[in-house]
Amino acid sequence: MKTVYVDNNATTKVAPEVLEVMLPYFSEYYGNPSSMHFFGGQVQKKVDEARAKVADFLGADPSEIVFTSCGTESDNAAIFGTFDSYPEKRHFISTRVEHPAIGNVCTYLGRKGYRVTELSVDREGRLDLDELRESITDGTALVTIMYANNETGVIFPIEEIGEIVKAKGISFHTDAVQAAGKIPLNMKKSNIDMLSISGHKLHAPKGIGVLYIRKGAKFSPFMIGGHQEKGRRGGTENVPYIIGLGKACELAKKHLDEENTRIKVLRDYLEMKLLEKIPNTLVNGERLHRLPNTVSVSFEYVEGESILLLLSDLGICASSGSACTSGSLEPSHVLRAMGVPFTAAHGSIRFSLSIYNTKEEMDYIIEHLPPIIQRLRDISPFWKDYLKAQEKG
Ligand code: PLP
């Protein structure tokens, strides 16, 4: 069966160039980079080279790059590492639309007696920066706000947020797991103290991440162990994956313009055609400040899960904005926070593209999705009610 993979915000294909540079470091050059002998030393050199590539990609200094096991670990390390450094402060600020790697830490710390302010978003998924300004207190240790949303692609004004936070002398962390490789990031020109990225969102393997920590930023290690990563993250380095991530960052830098142009053209084409061909369809989130590869689209009066399954039968892999919780379909916390109406939130689908997608694949989706929606609406009582209400005027 033909596979059309448009779920790249969930995970991406490991680029062949990435896999190629990784392979020798499993069974040929398998030394421990901490070892004193030449066999470890040659591996350490490769880890350093990869660190330099990641730093170059982020506009950072290599000493500011800490390798972790994933985006979730980077996010956790940023929050717990900050609280450990400021034991007298018990408040932090985040948003209602974060990934669970931040959102569930907020809930956890809330239960532990920390005060958490989760900023709201409007119908377009935008933050109110006045709410941020008003939420900062003397007891605030950290502001953690995602760079771009994984479901809608909406990009937050991170530089403006950084200025507000810096003016108050507070630590600022951003989860850039979805932004990295899709829009330019430059730590030199920013007020960001810490930033998380994850390898598997940019064509490196699953199981490798980075926490950028600005020189001078207060941080206590989350993973306590050996002296690795200059004492900021214990644990023997995941050498092949680090080398793979270095290559992926090098490729991501090279492909950045392509991401912003060719992929955006494909995404806009898909979006335009779906809006044109399928009535009662809406795009979720601000369309202007949005990742070039992402569209979250709602088809009113049908269920996202049913759409996904029928798409999957045709080899099309996307994801939905609802999740099955205790037997009922709950719209995602992101769409709920945005106030997307129930009838639309339920029928939401996210398409997320990568450099490997083609126009033919978009045409395949455009050909097959309209009849799927029609088929589901034909059996939807909500759609029937809607049509009756329309008839009555
Ligand atoms: N943050 C965001 C915005 C994400 O989209 C994800 C993964 O989907 C994560 C964090 C977690 O990254 P990882 O899967 O590497 O733990």
Side-chain angles (χ1 to χ4, degrees), residues 9-10 70-72 75 99 101 146 148 150 175 177-178 198 200-201:
N9 286 9
C70 58
T72 301
D75 285 346
H99 185 272
M146 70 196 325
N150 43 304
D175 173 344
V177 165
Q178 292 295 343
S198 172
H200 74 104
K201 310 290 181 176

Side-chain angles (χ1 to χ4, degrees), residues 210-248:
V210 164
L211 180 63
Y212 156 84
I213 308 174
R214 182 178 291 283
K215 241 180 238 166
K218 268 187 145 183
F219 175 82
S220 308
F222 171 64
M223 193 80 97
I224 297 169
H227 59 274
Q228 294 91 352
E229 302 298 299
K230 292 198 162 64
R232 292 167 298 181
R233 199 269 185 188
T236 301
E237 297 86 342
N238 187 351
V239 173
Y241 285 54
I242 289 174
I243 291 171
L245 181 58
K247 185 68 184 176

Side-chain angles (χ1 to χ4, degrees), residues 116-132:
V116 189
T117 305
E118 288 178 280
L119 304 175
S120 53
V121 292
D122 66 12
R123 183 68 178 78
E124 300 284 288
R126 289 173 302 213
L127 288 171
D128 172 359
L129 296 191
D130 283 333
E131 194 190 351
L132 167 65

Side-chain angles (χ1 to χ4, degrees), residues 257-270:
D257 284 346
E258 204 175 327
E259 278 273 352
N260 281 308
T261 49
R262 195 184 73 81
I263 294 175
K264 183 173 180 301
V265 167
L266 286 186
R267 190 274 315 267
D268 290 347
Y269 172 68
L270 175 67

